[in-house]
Amino acid sequence: MSSTGEKCEENNDEPTLELALKNIENDFAFVGITEFFDESLLFLKDELGWRTDPHYVTLNASREKKIEVSLDVDDETIEVIRECNRLDAKLYEHCRTVFQGKPEDESSSMGERVRKFRCRNACYQRLVKNPYSMLESIKTILSKGKHKLIDMIK
């Protein structure tokens, strides 16, 4: 093990990674990816045979998609962090590859399903956070016409 690797935990080795991959393959019904949270929920719904979409309320989340942080970290520390997380990164990449390889629903593309899901979930979030704001949303949707409302909630 390199001097960098000596600072890592003992079970940061290939057999541990292989065991983790085997456990995911054999013992997990589903693995989602944070960056694809909504897609993950829809795949989970399909996998478990749920008849209705799950809904959620986002709490304590940044409005910024990417937060720039400037840290003064030396190259040696960065290398130690990379080495200690090397197998985690491999595990993540494997799961992400499997996730992105999932077949899309034949009735509609995943992009369209996600768009509609996000629209319905936004309404749900408004209702849960402030029931009165939902009334305003309904008025706005209805002002666009009945067909738009039906398209949005299908």
Side-chain angles (χ1 to χ4, degrees):
M1 194 178 273
S2 68
S3 62
T4 317
E6 292 171 4
K7 298 176 184 176
C8 298
E9 293 181 26
E10 289 179 22
N11 55 353
N12 188 20
D13 56 15
E14 293 294 328
T16 303
L17 173 62
E18 293 304 317
L19 179 61
L21 291 170
K22 180 181 170 189
N23 287 338
I24 287 172
E25 184 71 29
N26 296 329
D27 300 329
F28 285 63
F30 178 79
V31 174
I33 303 293
T34 304
E35 298 93 296
F36 302 102
F37 186 76
D38 291 338
E39 292 88 339
S40 294
L41 284 178
L42 292 174
F43 279 130
L44 181 62
K45 172 196 168 196
D46 296 344
E47 184 71 29
L48 298 180
W50 295 343
R51 289 185 288 172
T52 60
D53 287 344
H55 292 92
Y56 64 91
V57 176
T58 303
L59 300 172
N60 199 22
S62 171
R63 294 191 188 279
E64 298 292 324
K65 289 291 181 190
K66 185 176 182 184
I67 299 173
E68 296 291 328
V69 177
S70 177
L71 299 175
D72 188 22
V73 180
D74 62 85
D75 291 342
E76 184 181 346
T77 301
I78 291 172
E79 186 55 37
V80 168
I81 292 168
R82 280 195 182 119
E83 178 62 26
C84 291
N85 291 283
R86 178 179 57 84
L87 296 179
D88 290 334
K90 283 184 176 182
L91 181 64
Y92 166 80
E93 284 305 321
H94 172 81
C95 291
R96 184 177 168 135
T97 300
V98 169
F99 180 85
Q100 289 180 316
K102 288 188 177 297
E104 291 187 359
D105 184 328
E106 293 178 17
S107 62
S108 65
S109 72
M110 180 53 73
E112 183 66 12
R113 286 182 68 199
V114 169
R115 186 191 67 75
K116 289 177 179 180
F117 169 74
R118 287 180 177 157
C119 179
R120 289 188 304 268
N121 198 64
C123 291
Y124 174 80
Q125 288 192 37
R126 274 186 240 124
L127 177 61
V128 170
K129 289 180 180 179
N130 182 354
Y132 297 106
S133 71
M134 185 61 170
L135 295 174
E136 292 303 315
S137 297
I138 291 170
K139 287 179 188 176
T140 302
I141 291 169
L142 291 175
S143 71
K144 293 180 181 181
K146 183 178 176 183
H147 67 282
K148 289 284 186 187
L149 175 62
I150 291 169
D151 288 344
M152 292 175 77
I153 62 175
K154 277 188 181 175

